[in-house]
């Protein structure tokens, strides 16, 4: 009797051990991606630094680079992407319906979105906050001076609700002027229909740099009135794809933390003795099999886009046209909020 129980327990433990180390099933989304040979990525219709196409139709931006890293990790080629530009009203429906595989479009993670849309938040790629832009000639120095003023805002965003909440909480009686399209809201502000324009602070910097005739004629007020953690979203119901998108982002972050760059990656494959670096680059353990990917999944992503810091600097950082400081988007060990789950 006791021997039988022991044998049964041993068999169960062995089965669990085999299950824990077995390669993951790819999942229906990844199966579809491999079948078509392309990741379909929902992006912004045109937000410089995050997701925008140039005159030749070439897409660039922080959110675009995240898509490219995902394509490189899953298909071994960062160019195997179809970009689908989506406005604020279209984005969630496009993901829910399966029109896109992943939404990487400066989208805020909130309880309502996470719990009611049938979608999963993955990992934060940019910590932001809502701000205000005003003309220098208005002499407005603080958001508290917007009492009774008109403010341009895009509908279908957390921005609209935040503006209403801020106005009520501070007794400002702000008058929102609401537009469905981003371009319409920007145009209304620059033509003087509103005294201020509000969106995420990164978006304000992008708009000022891209749309204003003279960026120096507009200032972004110092107050941030909300928390806006931005990142990609995926559909619920495919845990394997959810894990892939999430871990590509964590891998990009951890690559920066451990000094793996686009330039030194190949050299580190043969010279690094650091176990973490070896795991990330796939030269020791095969973490890819746990995600249904190749052993060099993360090395492919870093080779295509660089690490998170390189992506940030190239698209939105101090030396880019947007000139945004690293700030809270710095690594956790440098005073920021970027803290990757460990690739191990």
């Amino acid at each position: 009797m006791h021997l039988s129980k022991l044998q049964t327990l041993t068999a169960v433990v062995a089965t669990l051990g085999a299950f824990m180390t077995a390669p993951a099933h790819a999942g229906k989304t990844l199966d579809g991606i491999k079948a078509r040979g392309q990741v379909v990525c929902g992006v912004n219709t045109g937000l410089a630094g995050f997701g925008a196409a140039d005159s030749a139709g070439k897409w660039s931006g922080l959110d675009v680079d995240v898509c490219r890293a995902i394509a490189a990790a899953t298909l071994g080629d960062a160019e195997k992407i179809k970009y689908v530009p989506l406005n604020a009203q279209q984005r969630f429906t496009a993901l829910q319906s399966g029109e896109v595989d992943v939404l990487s479009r400066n989208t805020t993670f909130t309880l309502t979105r996470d719990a009611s849309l049938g979608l999963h938040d993955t990992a934060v790629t940019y910590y932001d906050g809502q701000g205000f832009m005003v003309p220098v000639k208005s002499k407005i120095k603080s958001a508290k001076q917007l009492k009774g003023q008109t403010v341009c805002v895009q509908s279908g965003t957390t921005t609209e609700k935040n503006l209403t909440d801020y106005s009520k909480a501070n007794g400002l009686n702000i008058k929102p002027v609401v537009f469905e399209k981003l371009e319409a809201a920007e145009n209304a502000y620059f033509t003087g229909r509103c005294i201020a324009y509000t969106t995420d602070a990164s978006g304000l910097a992008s708009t000022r740099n891209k749309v204003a005739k003279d960026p120096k004629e507009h200032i972004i007020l110092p107050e941030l009135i909300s928390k806006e953690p931005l990142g990609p979203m995926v559909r619920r119901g495919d845990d394997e794809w959810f894990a892939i998108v999430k871990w590509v982002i964590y891998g990009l972050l951890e690559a920066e933390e451990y000094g793996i760059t686009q330039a030194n990656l190949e050299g580190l494959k043969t010279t690094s003795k650091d176990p973490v670096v070896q795991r990330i680059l796939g030269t020791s353990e095969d973490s890819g099999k746990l995600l249904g990917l190749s052993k060099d999944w993360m090395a492919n992503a870093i080779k295509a886009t660089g690490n998170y810091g390189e992506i940030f600097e190239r698209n939105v950082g101090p030396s880019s046209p947007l000139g945004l400081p690293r700030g809270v988007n710095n690594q956790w060990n440098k005073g920021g909020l970027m803290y990757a789950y460990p690739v191990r």
Side-chain angles (χ1 to χ4, degrees), residues 41-52 59 61-64 66-67 86-88 91-92 102-109 113 124-128 154 156-159 182 186 197 199-204 206-207 228-233 316:
C41 188
V43 292
N44 202 296
T45 54
L47 185 65
F50 288 86
W59 286 88
L62 188 149
D63 292 333
V64 168
V66 170
C67 291
L86 301 166
N87 65 30
R91 55 183 165 172
F92 299 126
V102 57
L103 180 69
S104 186
R105 186 208 172 281
N106 59 299
T107 297
T108 304
F109 296 163
R113 289 174 175 177
V124 176
T125 54
Y126 191 92
Y127 286 98
D128 211 341
Q154 186 184 11
T157 63
T158 56
T159 313
L182 173 69
E186 293 173 338
Y197 171 56
T199 189
D200 296 345
S202 61
L204 294 176
S206 175
T207 295
E228 306 294 330
L230 312 177
M233 300 183 80
V316 301

Side-chain angles (χ1 to χ4, degrees), residues 7-324:
Q7 288 172 330
T8 300
L9 180 60
T10 302
V12 169
V13 171
T15 301
L16 286 173
F19 177 76
M20 290 174 68
T21 57
H25 172 64
K28 59 186 178 183
T29 304
L30 183 58
D31 284 343
I33 289 168
K34 288 182 175 179
R36 81 172 84 95
Q38 202 176 49
V39 174
V40 183
C41 188
V43 292
N44 202 296
T45 54
L47 185 65
F50 288 86
D54 62 17
S55 57
K58 182 176 175 59
W59 286 88
S60 65
L62 188 149
D63 292 333
V64 168
D65 274 346
V66 170
C67 291
R68 296 181 70 246
I70 293 168
T74 55
L75 297 173
D77 188 341
E79 303 308 313
K80 290 185 175 179
I81 301 178
K82 177 184 177 183
Y83 296 105
V84 179
L86 301 166
N87 65 30
Q89 290 75 27
Q90 297 168 329
R91 55 183 165 172
F92 299 126
T93 302
L95 183 56
Q96 291 162 339
S97 67
E99 181 184 350
V100 299
D101 299 314
V102 57
L103 180 69
S104 186
R105 186 208 172 281
N106 59 299
T107 297
T108 304
F109 296 163
T110 68
L111 182 151
T112 303
R113 289 174 175 177
D114 185 50
S116 68
L117 296 178
L119 306 176
H120 266 312
D121 303 335
T122 58
V124 176
T125 54
Y126 191 92
Y127 286 98
D128 211 341
Q130 185 173 331
F132 297 90
M133 180 163 62
V134 298
V136 172
K137 65 181 181 182
S138 71
K139 301 191 184 313
I140 293 173
K141 303 294 184 185
S142 166
K144 297 291 178 64
Q145 293 176 263
L146 292 172
K147 187 169 186 177
Q149 299 286 359
T150 53
V151 177
C152 287
V153 62
Q154 186 184 11
S155 63
T157 63
T158 56
T159 313
E160 186 180 6
K161 179 174 175 54
N162 291 340
L163 177 63
T164 301
D165 289 350
Y166 180 75
S167 178
K168 286 181 179 178
N170 292 279
L172 297 177
N173 192 31
I174 289 173
K175 298 175 174 60
V177 183
V178 182
F179 300 88
E180 181 177 335
K181 294 186 176 180
L182 173 69
E183 295 80 7
E186 293 173 338
N187 183 63
Y189 166 71
F190 286 114
T191 56
R193 186 169 173 186
C194 315
I195 194 65
Y197 171 56
T198 185
T199 189
D200 296 345
S202 61
L204 294 176
S206 175
T207 295
R208 181 173 63 175
N209 179 69
K210 180 183 175 184
V211 184
K213 291 181 180 178
D214 183 357
K216 294 191 293 295
E217 292 180 352
H218 303 269
I219 63 167
I220 298 172
L221 299 179
E223 297 96 338
L224 293 180
I225 67 169
S226 69
K227 294 178 292 184
E228 306 294 330
L230 312 177
M233 300 183 80
V234 297
R235 283 181 298 281
R236 287 183 184 268
D238 190 337
D239 289 344
E240 291 80 12
W241 180 239
F242 172 47
I244 288 169
V245 173
K246 181 172 60 175
W247 281 103
V248 167
I249 296 166
Y250 290 144
L252 293 172
L253 285 166
E254 199 161 56
E256 180 187 12
E257 184 178 347
Y258 283 85
I260 306 170
T261 69
Q262 200 171 29
N264 69 16
L265 178 147
E266 292 299 332
L268 288 175
K269 284 183 178 180
T270 56
T271 63
S272 179
K273 304 301 181 187
D274 189 324
V276 177
V277 173
Q278 291 175 343
R279 278 196 295 269
I280 292 172
L281 297 181
T283 57
S284 57
E285 302 166 31
D286 184 358
S287 59
K289 70 179 180 182
L290 301 176
L291 297 169
L293 302 177
S294 66
K295 188 175 183 178
D296 56 356
W297 66 286
M298 201 60 234
N300 288 338
I302 300 164
K303 187 174 182 179
T305 65
N307 63 41
Y308 176 79
E310 291 177 281
I311 291 172
F312 185 99
E313 182 59 37
R314 177 168 62 247
N315 293 295
V316 301
S319 61
S320 75
L322 260 63
L324 297 175

